[in-house]
Amino acid sequence: MAGKMKNSDDRILDYFKTEPIVLNGRFARYADAMWTQNTINDQSKFSKLLDLYAVAAIIGFRKNRRLADDKMSPNDKRTIQLDQIASNYTRFYTIMQVILLLDDSCGLEPAEKAKMAFDANPKSEKMYTENMELFHSYARGGLEYLYEVLVTRPIGLDDEFEDARVSNIMEFIKNPINNEVV
């Protein structure tokens, strides 16, 4: 099975199958600003936290924005449960493979990156942990970027809509994501 390995305790570690995804601190607050649990309303930009997180990983990668976890506020947490992730495993694993193939932060040669992205068994628990952190760091960067663009961006004189929600979404659509760091 893709992404699976055994660690020193003979537990099987598999990307996105061994532990829930937890958003901590400001990242939980960013998610709350764009998603409302069990509710689809005008304020929610995403119907599921899982969808927001998948999109955030892609956007964080495209914007080359990686951020460390924020565990300073232990009460601010949002969790994507394993059963939700399992039903969307292919989506998350495919995003992981793309990140492993295209990320240059580790200084690996293309053949090494391809082997890591498609190897069914990471070489070590350390590699597994580093790859998961790489994914999550991009997702956190994408969450912050989406929050800045969709929630906190002030309406400008050039905006054609007075409603901040509509204006911010239109601005996001008009300006394609590129690799420039903002």
Side-chain angles (χ1 to χ4, degrees):
M1 187 177 299
K4 185 173 23 175
M5 64 161 286
K6 287 187 178 186
N7 71 3
S8 58
D9 299 329
D10 288 335
R11 289 182 302 140
I12 294 176
L13 296 177
D14 199 347
Y15 297 133
F16 308 106
K17 289 188 176 182
T18 59
E19 50 197 32
I21 295 171
V22 179
L23 287 71
N24 295 298
R26 72 179 191 267
F27 303 109
R29 292 188 300 275
Y30 295 161
D32 286 349
M34 295 180 280
W35 161 82
T36 305
Q37 185 173 1
N38 299 324
T39 306
I40 298 175
N41 61 35
D42 292 340
Q43 301 300 318
S44 291
K45 307 213 179 354
F46 293 86
S47 61
K48 295 179 185 174
L49 180 57
L50 150 96
D51 295 335
L52 171 59
Y53 202 73
V55 169
I58 295 166
I59 289 175
F61 179 74
R62 290 286 298 151
K63 297 300 290 180
N64 195 27
R65 189 183 277 203
R66 293 175 53 195
L67 295 172
D69 204 355
D70 177 15
K71 295 185 180 181
M72 298 300 287
S73 303
N75 294 335
D76 289 335
K77 266 186 190 184
R78 296 298 164 268
T79 303
I80 303 171
Q81 299 298 328
L82 279 174
D83 60 334
Q84 295 173 312
I85 300 166
S87 64
N88 288 273
Y89 174 78
T90 303
R91 176 193 325 182
F92 280 97
Y93 189 68
T94 301
I95 296 168
M96 169 69 93
Q97 287 179 306
V98 170
I99 288 172
L100 292 175
L101 279 170
L102 300 176
D103 177 74
D104 290 326
S105 67
C106 297
L108 299 175
E109 294 294 320
E112 294 172 296
K113 292 193 288 187
K115 184 172 169 79
M116 187 170 29
F118 294 103
D119 191 351
N121 297 304
K123 298 294 180 219
S124 67
E125 185 172 352
K126 180 180 183 246
M127 180 185 290
Y128 168 87
T129 302
E130 288 173 356
N131 290 346
M132 288 301 296
E133 177 53 28
L134 180 69
F135 180 93
H136 294 308
S137 69
Y138 278 123
R140 290 186 293 263
L143 276 171
E144 182 178 77
Y145 177 80
L146 286 168
Y147 179 76
E148 291 168 356
V149 172
L150 296 176
V151 177
T152 63
R153 179 187 161 272
I155 297 176
L157 295 175
D158 294 338
D159 288 330
E160 60 185 288
F161 297 96
E162 292 181 19
D163 184 320
R165 293 170 300 171
V166 175
S167 182
N168 289 347
I169 289 171
M170 292 306 294
E171 186 63 24
F172 185 71
I173 292 169
K174 284 194 265 181
N175 292 310
I177 296 171
N178 55 37
N179 286 328
E180 294 176 23
V181 179
V182 290

